[in-house]
Amino acid sequence: MRRGKIEIKRIENTTTRQVTFSKRRNGLLKKTNELSVLCDAQIGLIAFSNTGKLFHYSSHPYRTHIMRHGHAHDQEDLLIEMAMLRHQNLSLEMGIQRYLGEGIAFLQYEELTKLEGELQSSVARVRKRQVYIYIYIHTHTCAFRSVFFSSSHSF
């Protein structure tokens, strides 16, 4: 037996609308959990009822963040926080672009000097790590050769 398609429009009856919200919310939360488990996806889902009550699901990394906001904040606070997170994300993306040499045409001299210093510091750390690895490999290779090719391992 197949279910018939329903027309997607606002349900006028308040009780029916609330029951439908509850059933579909539970189904959505179940599907979100299944997607997270099956695909090892990190998912955060936030839903507000028409009364402003918050319902949420989050995979592990986001659980504490959403729980922190779940009961103490309302929808407006979450929207403000989302705007702040978007701004922070944009700033981080711009920083990455600058490190790649993109989007630097409008930087002031002081900003370019600061960026140059940060890049020089990064290059110095990379070179230090390269030297460490080279010395480590060289030391262990020489030690291996001396043990392997000693007189007790003659061919």
Side-chain angles (χ1 to χ4, degrees):
M1 180 174 175
R2 285 180 33 136
R3 295 183 184 164
K5 287 191 174 186
I6 63 163
E7 183 182 351
I8 302 297
K9 63 176 184 169
R10 185 175 188 271
I11 300 171
E12 296 302 323
N13 184 309
T14 308
T15 305
T16 306
R17 186 171 53 239
Q18 183 58 38
V19 169
T20 302
F21 176 82
S22 178
K23 286 181 180 180
R24 288 185 175 241
R25 179 200 67 225
N26 291 336
L28 181 60
L29 292 172
K30 181 180 176 187
K31 290 289 185 187
T32 304
N33 180 48
E34 290 171 358
L35 180 63
S36 173
V37 171
L38 291 173
C39 301
D40 194 27
Q42 298 177 355
I43 301 173
L45 172 69
I46 300 173
F48 292 95
S49 69
N50 62 350
T51 61
K53 186 173 179 185
L54 172 70
F55 299 94
H56 62 85
Y57 170 84
S58 59
S59 54
H60 179 68
Y62 302 106
R63 182 172 293 131
T64 55
H65 184 72
I66 290 175
M67 289 299 289
R68 184 179 76 210
H69 295 290
H71 303 290
H73 298 285
D74 61 4
Q75 190 173 5
E76 185 178 326
D77 290 338
L78 289 174
L79 292 174
I80 292 169
E81 172 118 11
M82 283 180 12
M84 289 181 356
L85 290 173
R86 281 189 192 115
H87 177 72
Q88 183 180 14
N89 186 40
L90 181 62
S91 296
L92 291 170
E93 286 177 359
M94 288 174 57
I96 290 170
Q97 286 178 349
R98 287 179 180 169
Y99 284 126
L100 296 174
E102 300 170 1
I104 61 172
F106 299 106
L107 292 180
Q108 299 297 320
Y109 181 81
E110 294 82 15
E111 293 171 310
L112 290 169
T113 304
K114 181 181 176 191
L115 178 61
E116 180 184 26
E118 291 170 355
L119 290 171
Q120 287 175 344
S121 176
S122 294
V123 168
R125 285 193 301 272
V126 169
R127 287 189 178 143
K128 182 178 177 182
R129 178 70 179 152
Q130 283 178 316
V131 168
Y132 172 80
I133 290 172
Y134 176 80
I135 292 171
Y136 180 84
I137 290 172
H138 183 71
T139 304
H140 284 76
T141 303
C142 291
F144 173 75
R145 286 182 185 158
S146 68
V147 170
F148 189 75
F149 293 114
S150 67
S151 61
S152 63
H153 290 92
S154 62
F155 293 101

